[in-house]
Every structure is written in C-alpha cells, then in structure tokens.
Amino acid sequence: MDVEVEDRILRAVPHRAPILRIHAVVAVDAAAAIVRGREPVGAGALPWSCGAIEGIAQAAAVLLAHGAPPGDGPRRGMLVGVKRFTVHGEPAAGEDVDYHVTLVRRFGPTALVHGRAECCGVRLAEGEITLWADAGGQPK
C-alpha cells in the first residue's frame, strides 16, 4: 500500500500489504464505522469480489476494536461467514474505497455486521458478514 496506515488499524488488523486494504478511519463509534482503503495493485492483490469482502471484514475489525485501550495488544479474530453479498461494480486499481460497517448484533465473541463498499459515492458491494473476535490482549 502506497499510503501511510494509521496505528489503530495496524493494532486491529493483523494483515499487511498486499492483503491489508484499509489505511484511515474516517469515523467510528460503538455501532458503526467508515474506514477508507485503497484498492491494491500488483502481485498478491485479491480480485475485487474477494477484496470487497476482505475490506468490509477489516473495517469491521476496526469497529469491534473501537474503545479498547491502546496497550491492550493485538486482537485475534476471523471471518466466519458471508451472507447475502452482492457486487455491483468494481473500483479502478489504486482508487480509494470507503467501507461502511454497522454492527447488527453481538453474540459473545461473534458479531454480525452489515457492510458496504463505495467509491466516489457509488455503491460497489454490500452484504452481511459474521466475525469472531477475542476480548483483546496477547494470546496466551
């Protein structure tokens, strides 16, 4: 990724380039987040249909980590389900994409999140994902 990535993203998401799709938090609270990413180019870049899901999952990780103390350590988590996911369009390589995620409900360590990806105000993809995320801290 050719842009600087915010520290709170690096604490919430274990991935690095070319899998890391996000670089800046636009807005976040306990229920929703908007996280900006840049569509990767070159070796290792995912096709958009997979990359859109990954971008939404990474934005959801930022949402779920919101409010955790900075020294709490990296979070562990994983994408466990994708439901009703639709791809409407595709961004150009190197284009900024805004990932909008909303927490639908929590079940202990699992979370159901609705997300959408937009570029220049145009909806490119949307759907629901289920994630598992630990309570934080280093694995023991």
Side-chain angles (χ1 to χ4, degrees), residues 1 13 135:
M1 185 172 293
V13 180

Side-chain angles (χ1 to χ4, degrees), residues 2 17 22 46 55 82-83 117 131:
D2 60 349
I22 58 176
L46 295 170
V82 178
K83 193 173 182 182
L131 299 126

Side-chain angles (χ1 to χ4, degrees), residues 36-81:
R36 183 154 298 138
R38 179 151 304 157
E39 186 59 17
V41 296
L46 295 170
W48 172 246
S49 57
C50 297
I53 294 169
E54 184 62 33
I56 289 170
Q58 291 176 19
V62 170
L63 170 64
L64 296 175
H66 177 69
D72 200 26
R75 304 221 176 265
R76 294 180 305 155
M78 68 180 92
L79 175 64
V80 295

Side-chain angles (χ1 to χ4, degrees), residues 17-130:
I19 301 301
L20 182 64
R21 305 187 74 79
I22 58 176
H23 64 271
V25 177
V26 176
V28 64
D29 62 30
I34 302 170
V35 182
R36 183 154 298 138
R38 179 151 304 157
E39 186 59 17
V41 296
L46 295 170
W48 172 246
S49 57
C50 297
I53 294 169
E54 184 62 33
I56 289 170
Q58 291 176 19
V62 170
L63 170 64
L64 296 175
H66 177 69
D72 200 26
R75 304 221 176 265
R76 294 180 305 155
M78 68 180 92
L79 175 64
V80 295
V82 178
K83 193 173 182 182
R84 292 189 284 274
F85 201 85
T86 306
V87 175
H88 305 287
E90 190 170 321
E95 192 89 319
D96 279 348
V97 176
D98 287 338
Y99 296 99
H100 300 252
V101 291
T102 304
L103 181 62
V104 176
R105 89 181 53 93
R106 291 288 308 241
F107 305 103
T110 45
L112 176 62
V113 175
H114 181 270
R116 72 182 188 274
E118 296 181 352
C119 181
C120 302
V122 176
R123 188 170 297 197
L124 300 175
E126 62 188 317
E128 291 180 351
I129 61 171
T130 303

